[in-house]
Amino acid sequence: MSSFEGEKWDVVFVANGMAEANIIVGRLETEGIPTRLEYEAVGALYGLTLDGLGQVRVTVPSQDAPRALDVLSRTYENGDLDWQEK
Protein backbone atom coordinates (compact mmCIF):
# COMPACT_ATOMS: atom_id res chain seq x y z
CA MET A 1 0.00 0.00 0.00
CA SER A 2 1.33 3.41 -0.97
CA SER A 3 1.87 6.00 1.75
CA PHE A 4 -0.18 8.34 -0.47
CA GLU A 5 -3.26 6.08 -0.56
CA GLY A 6 -6.41 8.16 -0.11
CA GLU A 7 -4.51 11.44 -0.46
CA LYS A 8 -5.71 14.12 -2.87
CA TRP A 9 -3.54 14.60 -5.97
CA ASP A 10 -3.43 17.80 -8.05
CA VAL A 11 -2.66 18.22 -11.73
CA VAL A 12 0.48 20.34 -12.10
CA PHE A 13 1.14 19.84 -15.83
CA VAL A 14 -0.73 18.64 -18.91
CA ALA A 15 1.66 17.11 -21.42
CA ASN A 16 1.05 16.46 -25.10
CA GLY A 17 2.08 12.80 -25.02
CA MET A 18 4.03 10.34 -22.92
CA ALA A 19 7.48 11.57 -23.98
CA GLU A 20 6.84 15.07 -22.65
CA ALA A 21 5.13 13.68 -19.54
CA ASN A 22 8.15 11.50 -18.75
CA ILE A 23 10.46 14.52 -18.95
CA ILE A 24 8.25 16.38 -16.46
CA VAL A 25 8.08 13.33 -14.18
CA GLY A 26 11.89 13.14 -14.26
CA ARG A 27 12.25 16.78 -13.22
CA LEU A 28 9.81 16.37 -10.34
CA GLU A 29 11.07 13.02 -9.08
CA THR A 30 14.66 14.33 -9.13
CA GLU A 31 13.42 16.92 -6.62
CA GLY A 32 11.87 14.18 -4.46
CA ILE A 33 8.28 14.90 -5.52
CA PRO A 34 6.16 11.77 -6.12
CA THR A 35 4.17 11.72 -9.35
CA ARG A 36 1.34 9.86 -11.03
CA LEU A 37 0.18 10.02 -14.62
CA GLU A 38 -3.45 10.16 -15.74
CA TYR A 39 -4.33 9.55 -19.39
CA GLU A 40 -6.80 7.89 -21.71
CA ALA A 41 -5.55 4.41 -22.57
CA VAL A 42 -6.57 4.66 -26.22
CA GLY A 43 -4.54 7.85 -26.66
CA ALA A 44 -1.42 6.23 -25.23
CA LEU A 45 -1.99 3.02 -27.16
CA TYR A 46 -2.31 4.67 -30.56
CA GLY A 47 -0.32 7.83 -29.89
CA LEU A 48 -3.34 9.99 -30.67
CA THR A 49 -3.31 13.69 -29.88
CA LEU A 50 -6.80 14.45 -31.17
CA ASP A 51 -9.37 16.12 -28.89
CA GLY A 52 -7.20 15.64 -25.81
CA LEU A 53 -6.71 11.89 -26.25
CA GLY A 54 -2.93 12.21 -26.24
CA GLN A 55 -2.87 14.46 -23.22
CA VAL A 56 -1.19 13.14 -20.11
CA ARG A 57 -1.94 14.81 -16.79
CA VAL A 58 1.00 14.84 -14.37
CA THR A 59 -0.28 14.81 -10.80
CA VAL A 60 1.41 15.18 -7.42
CA PRO A 61 0.12 14.98 -3.84
CA SER A 62 -1.71 18.23 -3.03
CA GLN A 63 0.78 19.11 -0.33
CA ASP A 64 3.59 19.00 -2.91
CA ALA A 65 1.78 20.96 -5.63
CA PRO A 66 3.21 24.42 -4.78
CA ARG A 67 6.77 23.07 -4.78
CA ALA A 68 6.14 21.13 -8.01
CA LEU A 69 4.84 24.25 -9.74
CA ASP A 70 7.93 26.14 -8.54
CA VAL A 71 10.23 23.43 -9.95
CA LEU A 72 8.40 23.47 -13.28
CA SER A 73 8.54 27.27 -13.51
CA ARG A 74 12.37 27.24 -13.50
CA THR A 75 14.23 27.50 -16.77
CA TYR A 76 17.86 26.62 -17.28
CA GLU A 77 20.51 27.86 -19.66
CA ASN A 78 23.43 25.63 -20.56
CA GLY A 79 25.73 27.72 -18.36
CA ASP A 80 23.44 27.25 -15.35
CA LEU A 81 24.03 23.52 -15.23
CA ASP A 82 26.97 22.04 -13.36
CA TRP A 83 28.45 19.81 -16.09
CA GLN A 84 31.58 17.88 -15.37
CA GLU A 85 34.01 17.20 -18.19
CA LYS A 86 35.15 13.58 -18.39
Side-chain angles (χ1 to χ4, degrees):
M1 176 183 278
S2 169
S3 62
F4 299 104
E5 197 69 33
E7 186 171 338
K8 185 177 181 316
W9 290 65
D10 291 343
V11 176
V12 293
F13 192 86
V14 178
N16 291 313
M18 290 301 284
E20 183 180 25
N22 285 322
I23 291 168
I24 299 302
V25 165
R27 287 183 70 187
L28 295 174
E29 289 185 350
T30 296
E31 297 287 335
I33 301 171
T35 61
R36 289 186 184 167
L37 299 178
E38 297 177 354
Y39 53 89
E40 296 295 328
V42 71
L45 181 63
Y46 294 109
L48 298 175
T49 57
L50 179 67
D51 293 330
L53 282 179
Q55 290 183 336
V56 181
R57 293 169 301 284
V58 179
T59 64
V60 301
S62 293
Q63 67 191 27
D64 293 320
R67 190 163 62 102
L69 292 170
D70 179 58
V71 167
L72 295 177
S73 72
R74 296 181 207 153
T75 59
Y76 300 95
E77 299 293 328
N78 196 29
D80 295 336
L81 303 173
D82 185 22
W83 297 102
Q84 294 181 350
E85 296 290 325
K86 293 185 179 190

